[in-house]
Amino acid sequence: MTFGGTPSVSRRQFVRAAAVGSAVLATGLPLLSCDSITGPPDSAGRTALPRPPSMAVQGSLVATAGVAALCPDLQVAAFMLNGSVPSPTIRARRGEVAQLQFVNQLADPTILHWHGLIVPADADGHPRDTVPASGQYQYAFPIVQRAGTYWYHPHAHHLTAMQVHRGMAGFFVVSDDEEDALQLPGGSREFLLMLQDRAEPGAAPFEYAPSPADLHVGMLRDVAYGNGVPRPTALVPPGPCRLRILNASHARVYRLALDGGTPLTVIGNDGGLLPAPVTAESVYLGVGERIDCLVDLAAVRPGGRVMLRSLPFALPSAAGATSSQGTAMDLLELIRLPGDAPRANPLPLALSNITPHPAPSATRTFVFTSAVGASHRINGLSYDINRIDIQIPLGQVERWVFQNDGDLPHPVHLHGTQFQVASRSGGRNVVYPYEMGWKDTVLVFPEETVAVTVRFDTYAGVYLLHCHNLQHEDDGMMLNVEVTQ
Ligand code: C2O
Ligand code: CU
Ligand code: CU
């Protein structure tokens, strides 16, 4: 992995930046303007956002413990895949067949799960398939997926949080013909951003030692890391750029926004492209969720900076108030490179065709509770690897209702399919336009009830439904879902 130096731009250059009005590109993207930049420009202490290495979907992934040199000031004892933190970006095309040999050279048991991918149950990385130290697992599955931003991470029960914390998590990017036809920005105009909140670089940010409060609320720390480095900064060419953002944190919810209220142009989420682009002033991103957006810095003067931030938000609860959930954070600094913006292809008004599920033929309710003392449950149940909690026939459409009866947010995730969000009542009381299309994770805040429609239509077998707060998941806020023939 290579790192660029931290670019420097003088404060004077920055202050003299001319204000540009609400210019709109040929793409129809709102342009970021200089006068939208707030706060002093300061790349001091920031680290260039690394681009993780890429690999094809045929090959091997070898997990080892070792020292990762993340940036000059940060060498950490980490768990690496193929020697890298973050894990390599796997790039695949719909229709390809994945052949991945996983080799576990850690001292711990582990298994890899492909989050968001629809794969046969025995290739899903279910915790019962955990391999011991020195074990191996051979994955083979066709990529039946729509184009989108998926990811992968370990899924050994009770060990997921620690192993993700140690550095095991990577992007799994799928492309297809539908997406190609849109000619979206790629190459140096595509940025992958894996967000994690960690301790300061000097405070052992990759050591996993959760406190009792961490085990209840979920582990929250105050520094934003991008692709493994603290306080990331990226050099961005003018013209449309694609920013694919993954929340790979333990518990942190980000409320993404650009400086000065410039809206984000969202084109996709967990399961690929939205039906149409959506402009959003802010986007809530819970653990496990992805958002795919376009940004254009053409109206920012060369060297000008724009911060991607997490805006503050309040939770209607005591635990929300006593944790740092919802505090403002700077996430990624974007610095506009010199040069002219290329002639852009107009962004089509329609991106993708999403067929709504037919009316559900059954309803199930899942109640999420968190008692103090770190017992996180669904319908009163704590995960049992051998117990089947739900059976759903292959092809049947059901309405699943996720009800939060506690005071902590729960990012609810389902394996083996993508669902559609039908409603949210209580709390924020809205389904956001960026939650349209296909989702595999949905954020359920305290006081909220979220209904989704679910259909497994590809494979039978045992999958999982769980909270993706990693402390909640490891504690057992997880159920086995059997898809029956
Ligand atoms: Cu991101 Cu069960 O996983
Ligand atoms: Cu998953
Ligand atoms: Cu939870």
Side-chain angles (χ1 to χ4, degrees):
M1 211 183 310
T2 54
F3 301 93
T6 303
S8 78
V9 175
S10 80
R11 168 148 186 94
R12 196 158 41 94
Q13 270 180 317
F14 167 82
V15 168
R16 280 203 266 111
V20 178
S22 55
V24 171
L25 254 197
T27 55
L29 289 185
L31 289 179
L32 295 168
S33 61
C34 296
D35 57 353
S36 69
I37 300 168
T38 54
D42 184 13
S43 276
R46 303 202 75 89
T47 312
L49 180 74
R51 285 183 185 271
S54 289
M55 63 180 278
V57 80
Q58 297 84 25
S60 54
L61 283 165
V62 182
T64 54
V67 175
L70 294 170
C71 52
D73 305 341
L74 187 57
Q75 329 259 317
V76 297
F79 290 174
M80 295 179 277
L81 283 167
N82 297 357
S84 176
V85 171
S87 305
T89 299
I90 298 174
R91 290 192 182 262
R93 204 164 169 85
R94 186 176 192 167
E96 263 188 284
V97 176
Q99 296 279 359
L100 291 160
Q101 174 77 13
F102 173 57
V103 181
N104 179 15
Q105 293 181 355
L106 301 172
D108 298 316
T110 190
I111 192 71
L112 295 179
H113 163 63
W114 322 101
H115 180 130
L117 294 192
I118 295 164
V119 301
D122 66 2
D124 192 48
H126 189 280
R128 67 181 171 191
D129 293 325
T130 295
V131 295
S134 306
Q136 306 205 354
Y137 202 87
Q138 178 69 43
Y139 294 91
F141 54 89
I143 307 290
V144 298
Q145 237 29 65
R146 308 171 75 222
T149 311
Y150 307 97
W151 65 298
Y152 66 105
H153 59 78
H155 220 307
H157 192 40
H158 303 305
L159 294 173
T160 298
M162 182 272 282
Q163 294 179 348
V164 171
H165 191 78
R166 286 293 198 173
M168 290 169 80
F171 282 94
F172 196 123
V173 175
V174 175
S175 61
D176 66 8
D177 294 343
E178 182 192 41
E179 185 191 69
D180 283 359
L182 299 173
Q183 297 188 271
L184 295 168
S188 62
R189 295 184 166 275
E190 181 193 50
F191 294 83
L192 301 178
L193 175 64
M194 179 190 297
L195 288 173
Q196 294 175 318
D197 57 321
R198 294 181 179 274
E200 288 287 353
F206 282 72
E207 264 166 45
Y208 187 62
S211 68
D214 290 335
L215 293 176
H216 178 63
V217 174
M219 197 161 155
L220 295 164
R221 297 294 183 267
D222 297 327
V223 182
Y225 283 61
N227 301 349
V229 305
R231 301 185 173 90
T233 184
L235 295 168
V236 179
C241 289
R242 184 173 189 179
L243 183 53
R244 303 182 192 238
I245 306 173
L246 156 67
N247 183 348
S249 309
H250 291 279
R252 175 76 61 187
V253 176
Y254 301 98
R255 188 179 169 206
L256 304 171
L258 293 165
D259 272 331
T262 306
L264 286 159
T265 301
V266 182
I267 57 170
N269 57 16
D270 302 350
L273 293 167
L274 292 171
V278 159
T279 53
E281 270 172 30
S282 68
V283 171
Y284 285 100
L285 197 70
V287 179
E289 291 184 299
R290 287 85 68 206
I291 204 83
D292 188 349
C293 51
L294 298 178
V295 293
D296 191 331
L297 266 52
V300 177
R301 57 161 292 134
R305 288 139 210 266
V306 175
M307 188 64 77
L308 176 73
R309 300 184 195 278
S310 183
L311 300 180
F313 60 90
L315 290 175
S317 65
T322 55
S323 77
S324 74
Q325 186 69 278
T327 54
M329 292 176 91
D330 286 353
L331 303 178
L332 172 67
E333 179 191 62
L334 305 169
I335 303 182
R336 200 265 212 203
L337 281 169
D340 294 325
R343 239 186 72 84
N345 301 307
L347 185 64
L349 294 178
L351 296 172
S352 182
N353 236 321
I354 311 277
T355 311
H357 277 148
S361 52
T363 296
R364 296 175 206 260
T365 300
F366 302 88
V367 182
F368 291 73
T369 51
S370 293
V372 179
S375 77
H376 305 285
R377 306 235 161 130
I378 307 175
N379 290 348
L381 297 169
S382 187
Y383 186 62
D384 178 340
I385 202 166
N386 295 312
R387 184 188 65 219
I388 299 297
D389 298 295
I390 296 147
Q391 290 185 304
I392 174 172
L394 189 69
Q396 174 159 304
V397 180
E398 297 194 357
R399 179 182 174 85
W400 287 13
V401 178
F402 306 132
Q403 183 183 323
N404 187 337
D405 269 11
D407 55 10
L408 300 169
H410 300 296
V412 178
H413 171 51
L414 182 60
H415 289 212
T417 191
Q418 295 273 335
F419 53 74
Q420 297 178 348
V421 183
S423 67
R424 177 182 283 111
S425 55
R428 294 168 295 162
N429 210 33
V430 63
V431 176
Y432 296 96
Y434 57 79
E435 295 177 299
M436 298 281 102
W438 295 103
K439 295 277 292 165
D440 56 54
T441 309
V442 68
L443 194 50
V444 187
F445 268 6
E447 299 180 2
E448 289 182 1
T449 297
V450 174
V452 304
T453 56
V454 173
R455 177 173 60 199
F456 291 84
D457 49 15
T458 315
Y459 301 109
V462 179
Y463 294 95
L464 292 170
L465 171 74
H466 64 90
C467 176
H468 218 294
N469 175 313
L470 298 184
Q471 283 70 39
H472 296 183
E473 171 182 342
D474 273 348
D475 186 60
M477 195 174 241
M478 181 154 76
L479 300 178
N480 279 323
V481 176
E482 183 180 12
V483 181
T484 56
Q485 244 347 315

